[in-house]
Amino acid sequence: MKVLVLGANGQIARLAEKELTQAKISQRLFLRNPSRIEPNELQEVVAGDATNLADLQEALNGIEIVYANLAGQTIEQQARNVVQAMKEQRVKRLIWISTLGIYDEVPGNYGKWNHQMLDGGYLETYSAAAKVIEESDLDYTIIRPAWLSNKAEVDYELTQKGEPFRGTEVSRQSIAALVTKLILNPDEHLHESLGVNKPNTDGDKPAWY
């Protein structure tokens, strides 16, 4: 198996790459500035921009699973490019990191707070990107994390699209663990959009705000 990691220098991505290395999974790390990463024996670093379709097409050669840890105002176009490149290269499995709130699924005061923090270009663009993924014929899993912490813990629960989001926070380590689990078990959670939170963290906003 060889995994393409898009946005390979992101905080969650770096944690997942470490876990994938421990699991002996080969990785192609895709990022704008490859000098940011010193690869190990299981990693290949390539320069690329997900807004450039040709970069993605080239990076997908020999790949079985794509893990996209992308971000930014161009996220919808990046999603369109990922879908098109994967279709052309006949790669089906995609793990896509999004955010909570893209379906207006966060209830109560926390949902209102989340809108206040993320409306105005962030939730809208991430929602549009998720729609692109969901309308594709890819074997996707969308991951919608709660607000992220740097706690050194793996402690999470899942909700499905259509269910109210639970909790207010989750660790980046937990998201990396879920990504790794999906890569090692690629038939799990196909065509699902998963809310991810730490249990028993309900409230009006994350504890650190």
Side-chain angles (χ1 to χ4, degrees):
M1 181 192 300
K2 191 161 193 174
V3 176
L4 175 62
V5 182
L6 303 177
N9 196 48
Q11 292 183 71
I12 296 171
R14 295 306 302 269
L15 293 168
E17 289 152 20
K18 183 177 180 180
E19 293 193 23
L20 292 171
T21 296
Q22 292 171 345
K24 307 299 183 185
I25 300 297
S26 296
Q27 305 149 58
R28 180 172 294 150
L29 308 182
F30 180 100
L31 66 164
R32 290 190 182 95
N33 184 356
S35 65
R36 290 181 172 182
I37 294 181
E38 185 67 35
N40 60 43
E41 68 280 0
L42 289 172
Q43 296 171 329
E44 169 194 2
V45 180
V46 297
D49 188 328
T51 62
N52 187 316
L53 181 61
D55 286 352
L56 288 168
Q57 290 167 329
E58 183 175 353
L60 278 162
N61 185 45
I63 292 297
E64 296 176 54
I65 297 177
V66 177
Y67 156 42
N69 197 88
L70 300 169
Q73 290 296 316
T74 60
I75 191 69
E76 182 180 359
Q77 185 57 52
Q78 293 178 71
R80 293 188 186 282
N81 286 351
V82 168
V83 169
Q84 182 176 341
M86 290 181 66
K87 182 177 180 179
E88 291 175 357
Q89 298 296 328
R90 298 183 180 180
V91 180
K92 293 286 286 183
R93 188 68 172 103
L94 172 64
I95 300 164
W96 180 268
I97 303 295
S98 185
T99 188
L100 78 167
I102 59 172
Y103 310 118
D104 199 24
E105 78 277 21
V106 184
N109 289 336
Y110 181 44
K112 295 176 183 177
W113 180 87
N114 193 64
H115 272 295
Q116 291 171 358
M117 298 294 286
L118 299 182
D119 281 351
Y122 188 88
L123 276 184
E124 297 87 346
T125 54
Y126 275 70
S127 177
K131 186 177 180 181
V132 170
I133 302 300
E134 290 174 311
E135 290 179 349
S136 74
D137 63 352
L138 299 177
D139 291 332
Y140 67 83
T141 305
I142 295 173
I143 295 175
R144 294 174 283 115
W147 283 68
L148 293 160
S149 79
N150 289 320
K151 294 178 181 178
E153 64 181 16
V154 174
D155 187 9
Y156 67 87
E157 62 183 356
L158 304 177
T159 51
Q160 293 283 347
K161 180 180 180 180
E163 297 178 343
F165 198 94
R166 294 201 297 263
T168 58
E169 66 178 82
V170 72
S171 69
R172 289 180 173 87
Q173 189 71 61
S174 293
I175 302 302
L178 175 58
V179 168
T180 302
K181 180 182 178 183
L182 291 172
I183 290 170
L184 295 177
N185 302 277
D187 293 332
E188 292 188 5
H189 296 293
L190 297 179
H191 308 112
E192 294 182 10
S193 179
L194 304 174
V196 192
N197 69 284
K198 180 179 179 179
N200 304 312
T201 59
D202 299 297
D204 292 345
K205 55 186 177 180
W208 58 87
Y209 274 94

